[in-house]
Amino acid sequence: MAENNIECNSVVDGNVEEVPNKKIIKFNPPLYKQRYQFVKKLVEQHQPKKVADLGCGDACLLMILKYQKCIEELVGVDINEERLKWNGSRLSPCMGDHLDPRELDLVITLYHGSVLEKDCRLLGFDLVACIELIEHFDSEDLAKFPEVVFGYMSPAMIVISTPNSDYNSLFPSAVFRDSDHKFEWSRMQFQTWALDVANHYSYSVEFTGVGEPPAGAEDVGCCTQIGVFRKIAKATESAVLEHHGKHVYEVIYTTSYPSLQQMDYCRRVVTYLVYREVNRMKRRYQVSLRQHELEPESADNGNPTRKFISDPPVPVLTEADKAMEMIPQPFCIGDKFYVPLERIIAYPRLGHICGNVEKLREFLADVVELNCDGSAVKVDLHDCGDY
């Protein structure tokens, strides 16, 4: 965190209040980004497959999490329908997602509705994020919140962030950080509430925060306080039956990302990678051929004569290729260049996707020309337009 001692307005998460002759505290990165990065690190550490953001707002957290390879389902819920409609398109797959598909499927859905309502489509999640949400509830809604999220949804992990009012003493104004906040808790108040909820619903909880205080003010704690809850009891039968119950939320936006689990995309990626590797080896062979097809034979009056080398040598191998010397090498018969499938599958990504030569051959069927026994890719040696 960087502290700027200029006398000017106070800014916290975009809120500005005219207060002369006071210091401004700036966070680097901005506080909202620190909160999102905290959730991202949790995802990287615990590898959840299903993640929901309650009170998703402008969907910025979902935008960050959609790049996490472990996630297969992302859900955002918010009460502001117009905001969801406006930001939904930001979650659509781009051209790069089609050219380089994900390893796993990903479905993203935005729901319009209150997080205080029970919808069975929010059951069975691995992680539920409630970032700067609870402070917008009045006392009646706050009382409903644990029963819906901890009791009904009952995800494996819940992360809740909320302002730390102890830190507010460093700001020039004593009012809440947002005009819509119904309360802002001290660390003691938040921890008391969180421990009570955790004990009631069989969760453990750890406390942390983001937005470090400036030097000399460490006693106020972080600007944003965070509780990370982990389920310690077995899932109830009602939580396991994900598709039994009411659908109270309205789907505002949904999209699916291309992945290698979809056969069309997988075949397209395999074909492209095979084309690339075969063409790379062919070009290297052609360079080696040009370097050796004419060699000095004798000298007559200072003018050397050259001869054609009918059997060109095996292409020069790179360091990476030397580890593959025991694998069948590319070869040339007449004007045809052959690359054995055993060599192609030795390249890490192709080996990861296909697993074995038989599967690779299946992917290439009717797409790439193979030799008569189907053991090698066959291309024209001198056709520069192969690929």
Side-chain angles (χ1 to χ4, degrees):
M1 186 200 73
E3 183 178 0
N4 186 338
N5 294 328
I6 300 174
E7 296 180 353
C8 56
N9 297 337
S10 172
V11 182
V12 181
D13 287 348
N15 298 306
V16 180
E17 180 156 353
E18 295 289 342
V19 181
N21 302 320
K22 292 290 185 178
K23 296 179 181 179
I24 182 173
I25 296 177
K26 291 185 178 180
F27 296 93
N28 186 23
L31 197 54
Y32 76 94
K33 289 187 177 181
Q34 293 189 42
R35 291 191 287 259
Y36 294 159
Q37 287 300 314
F38 181 88
V39 178
K40 178 186 173 185
K41 288 179 181 178
L42 274 183
V43 169
E44 292 171 346
Q45 179 181 357
H46 297 281
Q47 299 289 295
K49 292 183 178 181
K50 300 178 65 175
V51 178
D53 181 16
L54 305 185
C56 62
D58 57 8
C60 282
L61 179 57
L62 299 179
M63 282 287 295
I64 294 172
L65 296 183
K66 76 173 189 175
Y67 295 105
Q68 297 301 304
K69 297 178 180 179
C70 62
I71 297 179
E72 299 180 52
E73 183 175 357
L74 266 179
V75 164
V77 181
D78 202 274
I79 198 68
N80 190 325
E81 183 178 5
E82 290 303 316
R83 202 174 189 186
L84 291 175
K85 290 179 178 179
W86 180 262
N87 290 291
S89 59
R90 301 171 60 197
L91 300 169
S92 300
C94 61
M95 181 63 70
D97 295 311
H98 291 274
L99 296 176
D100 186 17
R102 292 167 48 92
E103 188 83 12
L104 302 173
D105 288 334
L106 172 63
V107 177
I108 302 178
T109 306
L110 297 182
Y111 291 117
H112 171 235
S114 168
V115 300
L116 302 175
E117 295 179 295
K118 297 177 181 179
D119 189 304
C120 65
R121 290 169 292 184
L122 269 292
L123 295 175
F125 275 69
D126 303 303
L127 173 63
V128 168
C130 307
I131 306 302
E132 305 300 280
L133 173 67
I134 61 172
E135 62 272 11
H136 295 273
F137 295 149
D138 59 27
S139 58
E140 183 178 346
D141 288 341
L142 183 63
K144 296 177 184 177
F145 173 80
E147 198 278 325
V148 174
V149 177
F150 289 82
Y152 178 74
M153 295 182 187
S154 192
M157 182 179 296
I158 304 169
V159 55
I160 296 177
S161 79
T162 191
N164 168 24
S165 65
D166 294 333
Y167 197 101
N168 289 356
S169 62
L170 301 182
F171 295 132
S173 177
V175 299
F176 290 161
R177 302 181 193 177
D178 188 293
S179 60
D180 189 56
H181 287 184
K182 304 304 188 293
F183 63 87
E184 289 182 2
W185 277 335
S186 67
R187 286 167 294 171
M188 180 64 72
Q189 289 172 312
F190 176 58
Q191 292 176 19
T192 299
W193 174 86
L195 287 168
D196 182 61
V197 169
N199 290 333
H200 185 78
Y201 292 100
S202 299
Y203 279 81
S204 64
V205 59
E206 297 178 3
F207 299 102
T208 183
V210 295
E212 295 289 337
E218 291 83 0
D219 60 318
V220 302
C222 293
C223 190
T224 293
Q225 53 186 332
I226 297 174
V228 179
F229 302 79
R230 292 178 175 86
K231 189 73 174 175
I232 58 177
K234 294 183 179 179
T236 63
E237 184 176 355
S238 61
V240 174
L241 300 175
E242 298 180 30
H243 303 292
H244 294 74
K246 295 182 179 179
H247 292 185
V248 298
Y249 295 152
E250 177 189 1
V251 176
I252 297 299
Y253 175 83
T254 187
T255 187
S256 298
Y257 275 65
S259 80
L260 296 180
Q261 292 184 322
Q262 301 164 26
M263 185 55 66
D264 288 345
Y265 281 105
C266 190
R267 192 174 206 184
R268 189 180 306 171
V269 169
V270 168
T271 303
Y272 164 74
L273 292 174
V274 169
Y275 279 166
R276 187 185 67 180
E277 295 303 333
V278 169
N279 202 36
R280 181 180 64 84
M281 286 185 273
K282 187 183 76 169
R283 287 199 307 269
R284 190 167 53 194
Y285 189 91
Q286 291 170 333
V287 170
S288 178
L289 178 63
R290 287 195 295 270
Q291 290 175 345
H292 293 87
E293 65 181 359
L294 295 175
E295 289 186 347
E297 183 177 32
S298 62
D300 182 11
N301 297 325
N303 296 319
T305 61
R306 298 176 182 274
K307 66 178 181 179
F308 179 76
I309 304 300
S310 58
D311 296 321
V314 173
V316 177
L317 301 178
T318 66
E319 288 300 319
D321 292 330
K322 289 180 180 179
M324 303 164 63
E325 287 182 347
M326 301 304 294
I327 300 173
Q329 299 288 325
F331 57 92
C332 190
I333 300 177
D335 61 351
K336 299 296 182 180
F337 183 71
Y338 298 82
V339 181
L341 297 187
E342 288 185 41
R343 185 165 189 83
I344 292 174
I345 197 106
Y347 286 89
R349 193 171 184 208
L350 282 165
H352 174 71
I353 296 173
C354 300
N356 54 60
V357 170
E358 289 72 23
K359 190 67 175 179
L360 174 61
R361 187 182 294 112
E362 180 182 333
F363 276 122
L364 299 181
D366 303 323
V367 179
V368 178
E369 185 178 4
L370 303 178
N371 62 351
C372 58
D373 64 359
S375 64
V377 173
K378 173 184 176 182
V379 297
D380 291 329
L381 178 61
H382 298 293
D383 184 359
C384 296
D386 278 344
Y387 307 112

